[in-house]
Amino acid sequence: MAGLIGLDWGTSSLRAYRLDADGAVAEVRARPWGIRQLPEGGFDAALAEVTAGWPALPRLACGMVGSRNGWHEVPYLDLPADAETLGRALHAFDAGDGSVLHLVPGLRNPRGPDVMRGEETQLFGALARDPSLAAHATFVLPGTHSKWASVRDGAVVDFSTAMTGELFALLRQHSILGAGTGEAVPDPEAFARGVIAARDSGAAGGMSRLFSARALMLDGALAPSAVPDYLSGLLLGEELRAQLASGRFRIDAPIQLIGDAALCARYRAAAVHFDLSFAEPLVDIVAGGLWQLAVTAGLVADPLVVAPKEARSC
Amino acid sequence: MAGLIGLDWGTSSLRAYRLDADGAVAEVRARPWGIRQLPEGGFDAALAEVTAGWPALPRLACGMVGSRNGWHEVPYLDLPADAETLGRALHAFDAGDGSVLHLVPGLRNPRGPDVMRGEETQLFGALARDPSLAAHATFVLPGTHSKWASVRDGAVVDFSTAMTGELFALLRQHSILGAGTGEAVPDPEAFARGVIAARDSGAAGGMSRLFSARALMLDGALAPSAVPDYLSGLLLGEELRAQLASGRFRIDAPIQLIGDAALCARYRAAAVHFDLSFAEPLVDIVAGGLWQLAVTAGLVADPLVVAPKEARSC
């Protein structure tokens, strides 16, 4: 029986995909077992449960499971990296019961330095989904640690992390800016106002405008319930301003969003104020990325190749 | 009996000063009764206890006690503001027992917008302490919400808030950057490295380098125990970079620090990397600021004026 078991194993969740011999997703299981909130029995038990009843197929996991605080640390692979180099660098380890689990290494950008772990698989999933992006594209993956990545000739050649999502959560929950704002009410106008404040912040940068969220509220110029959307706009706007100002991510090539639909919609709304157009997000591409890397590594046979490569140990 | 009771009443602490007829501090009492952590009996009880046994003198308070979440909200006074305009704007209210408490209004900068409450009194205390600064100076008041202020001809003409202290505490305590760093060890080299990373961050700004604190640690290029000092340097460096890049604060005039000695020492160390020299901090100037404003308002007689002004109600 051919196919693959793919695992997207992050900090707060675990998704398991059973892929058939053609790389199509036959079944998905989601569990709240991120590496920080494992069930009793830890990693072993989580893996056994989430794949219970599935056939004995090669297993490949990406994400924080391969980090220092994960199951088994896999060193980062330095840029530039295409699917070939990443596929050759898969890391196999004994998952405890004598069976092997393969892990995708994260990527390291010597510039910064910067690191990603999990997003690289999404990037190769995106390239597998839409090969036209491989020649030259900028990718934006919004999230807790938002990533901007530059792909050239099929290889990730640069990326940069903005801690937008984490900063927003911290400021909203723990800072003076979140105090007295009560229940947040969606307010597209306040969001746009925040985006524009960051865009027009000049050389000082948008973070220098952070306290305006408080001052505008005290002024009565911003409803308390609109402060979260203003702050969200300010932080997203600052992410866009800074990444564009860095000159590292070309905008004459397609800019492709990857990620959660609601969050990506906010980025598209923010991009308009920079006269940019972000393409509709690609979703559910991790399984395709895992499949792509498994094929490249020879873990599974490429259905498009008439004579399948022999599976090899990595 | 002449003199003044001055109160510096902030978010987390309360300091009471008994000033004699010459404005000299005769006695100081400190209590942990900021407006968010009052003793039983609230504001009334705190004021009664902290001034117990002191003579019935005019009482003047500055700080968050006059904020929306304080005892009695006093509207902000718009810039520009000198001691005269601020003294005229003192706000008197019935402190519950029929006696009057005077409050110093905070300042509002229409540019930003931005606000301060408490720091204005320190600024006028600084000008009273060193009148040579009144003509033209830049003031830096490090803290949870760090303030940069520009004084021209005795008036505060501009100021800007950087949330450096609060951001540092949030990132250190709650973010991924603080995870796994253990006990912080003072590391001047890591601090300097953070300052320089922010200084050299270009148009993107220092916040775009935030994640490097994590990547450098994972790289083994930064000891976990040095991450807090690197982060501190990065945030202080970004504050300096941004405020200088804004062009709002002239550096051809004296740059005067006000505040906690240890924190000011960090700012002086950071300033060196910008080829700037910050003057030794002025400390314990709030009482002098309260006295100055009380004199201006006619709450107390100016000992330098032969015929004292009549006290008036504000």
Side-chain angles (χ1 to χ4, degrees):
Chain A
M1 174 151 197
L4 178 76
I5 292 174
L7 300 156
D8 180 10
W9 206 332
T11 301
S12 55
S13 66
L14 165 62
R15 291 176 78 86
Y17 303 88
R18 182 165 66 78
L19 305 176
D20 65 20
D22 297 323
V25 175
E27 193 179 350
V28 188
R29 292 176 182 168
R31 300 285 183 271
W33 298 333
I35 67 165
R36 285 196 188 160
Q37 46 200 41
L38 292 164
E40 195 165 336
F43 287 104
D44 310 64
L47 179 60
E49 199 285 336
V50 82
T51 59
W54 286 359
L57 294 168
R59 296 177 300 181
L60 177 61
C62 68
M64 296 303 281
V65 66
S67 70
R68 189 162 301 173
N69 304 316
W71 194 349
H72 188 87
E73 186 174 7
V74 182
Y76 292 99
L77 186 71
D78 268 3
L79 296 190
D82 60 15
E84 277 293 327
T85 51
L86 198 56
R88 272 198 303 272
L90 297 192
H91 187 93
F93 83 106
D94 180 341
D97 56 354
S99 77
V100 167
L101 178 63
H102 298 267
L103 296 173
V104 180
L107 296 181
R108 175 181 178 276
N109 191 356
R111 181 170 183 173
D114 209 323
V115 289
M116 63 166 59
R117 204 181 273 282
E119 293 91 349
E120 74 295 324
T121 305
Q122 296 188 55
L123 287 171
F124 290 108
L127 298 182
R129 174 86 57 91
D130 182 355
S132 75
L133 293 167
H136 185 197
T138 292
F139 290 86
V140 178
L141 295 82
T144 306
H145 299 157
S146 200
K147 308 283 182 188
W148 287 52
S150 187
V151 166
R152 214 53 217 252
D153 299 329
V156 182
V157 294
D158 192 13
F159 67 84
S160 169
T161 302
M163 293 181 63
T164 307
E166 184 159 16
L167 277 173
F168 177 73
L170 289 178
L171 290 168
R172 171 97 175 82
Q173 289 162 27
H174 299 292
S175 86
I176 184 73
L177 303 185
T181 58
E183 192 77 19
V185 173
D187 189 327
E189 205 177 310
F191 176 81
R193 194 170 171 181
V195 171
I196 291 165
R199 182 195 68 189
D200 297 345
S201 59
M207 291 301 283
S208 73
R209 304 296 305 276
L210 212 46
F211 201 62
S212 68
R214 181 79 184 159
L216 285 168
M217 188 184 95
L218 292 171
D219 251 7
L222 195 62
S225 64
V227 168
D229 260 4
Y230 176 80
L231 186 58
S232 167
L234 188 66
L235 293 174
L236 262 69
E238 172 58 9
E239 176 182 333
L240 266 70
R241 187 204 66 75
Q243 299 287 34
L244 295 172
S246 75
R248 291 164 61 177
F249 303 100
R250 292 180 60 179
I251 55 174
D252 55 351
I255 303 179
Q256 180 62 58
L257 282 166
I258 296 176
D260 171 74
L263 185 56
C264 285
R266 297 179 88 83
Y267 276 70
R268 297 188 82 198
V272 169
H273 297 286
F274 290 82
D275 287 327
L276 287 179
S277 170
F278 285 3
E280 283 276 5
L282 295 172
V283 294
D284 295 331
I285 53 173
V286 177
L290 289 164
W291 177 258
Q292 174 70 33
L293 295 172
V295 168
T296 312
L299 270 188
V300 296
D302 184 342
L304 302 179
V305 177
V306 178
K309 298 173 208 167
E310 194 167 330
R312 52 180 178 156
S313 158
C314 299
Chain B
M1 174 150 198
L4 177 76
I5 292 174
L7 301 156
D8 179 11
W9 207 333
T11 301
S12 55
S13 66
L14 165 62
R15 290 178 79 86
Y17 302 89
R18 183 165 64 78
L19 306 176
D20 67 19
D22 296 323
V25 175
E27 193 179 349
V28 187
R29 293 175 181 168
R31 301 284 183 273
W33 297 334
I35 66 165
R36 283 195 190 163
Q37 47 200 42
L38 293 164
E40 195 164 336
F43 287 104
D44 309 65
L47 179 59
E49 200 284 339
V50 82
T51 60
W54 285 359
L57 294 168
R59 297 176 299 183
L60 178 60
C62 69
M64 293 305 279
V65 65
S67 69
R68 190 163 303 173
N69 303 316
W71 195 349
H72 188 89
E73 186 174 5
V74 183
Y76 292 99
L77 188 69
D78 267 4
L79 295 189
D82 60 15
E84 278 292 328
T85 50
L86 198 55
R88 271 200 303 273
L90 297 192
H91 188 93
F93 83 105
D94 180 342
D97 56 354
S99 78
V100 167
L101 178 63
H102 298 267
L103 297 174
V104 180
L107 297 181
R108 176 180 177 277
N109 191 356
R111 182 172 183 173
D114 211 323
V115 289
M116 63 167 58
R117 203 181 275 283
E119 292 92 347
E120 73 296 324
T121 304
Q122 296 187 58
L123 287 170
F124 290 108
L127 298 182
R129 175 85 58 89
D130 182 355
S132 76
L133 293 168
H136 187 195
T138 292
F139 291 86
V140 178
L141 295 83
T144 306
H145 300 155
S146 201
K147 308 283 182 186
W148 287 52
S150 187
V151 166
R152 214 55 220 252
D153 299 328
V156 181
V157 294
D158 193 13
F159 67 83
S160 170
T161 301
M163 293 181 61
T164 307
E166 185 160 16
L167 276 174
F168 177 72
L170 289 179
L171 290 168
R172 172 99 175 81
Q173 290 162 28
H174 299 291
S175 85
I176 185 73
L177 304 185
T181 59
E183 192 78 18
V185 173
D187 190 325
E189 205 177 309
F191 176 82
R193 193 169 171 184
V195 171
I196 290 165
R199 183 195 67 188
D200 297 344
S201 58
M207 291 300 284
S208 72
R209 305 294 306 275
L210 211 46
F211 201 61
S212 68
R214 179 80 184 159
L216 285 167
M217 187 185 96
L218 291 172
D219 251 7
L222 194 63
S225 64
V227 168
D229 259 4
Y230 176 79
L231 186 58
S232 166
L234 188 66
L235 292 175
L236 262 70
E238 171 58 9
E239 176 180 333
L240 267 70
R241 187 204 65 76
Q243 299 287 32
L244 296 171
S246 76
R248 291 164 63 175
F249 302 101
R250 292 180 61 178
I251 56 174
D252 55 351
I255 302 180
Q256 180 61 59
L257 281 166
I258 296 177
D260 170 73
L263 186 55
C264 285
R266 296 179 89 82
Y267 275 72
R268 296 187 82 198
V272 169
H273 297 285
F274 289 82
D275 287 326
L276 287 178
S277 170
F278 285 2
E280 282 276 6
L282 295 172
V283 293
D284 295 332
I285 54 173
V286 176
L290 288 165
W291 178 258
Q292 175 69 33
L293 294 173
V295 167
T296 312
L299 271 187
V300 296
D302 184 343
L304 302 180
V305 176
V306 178
K309 297 174 206 165
E310 192 166 333
R312 56 182 173 150
S313 157
C314 302

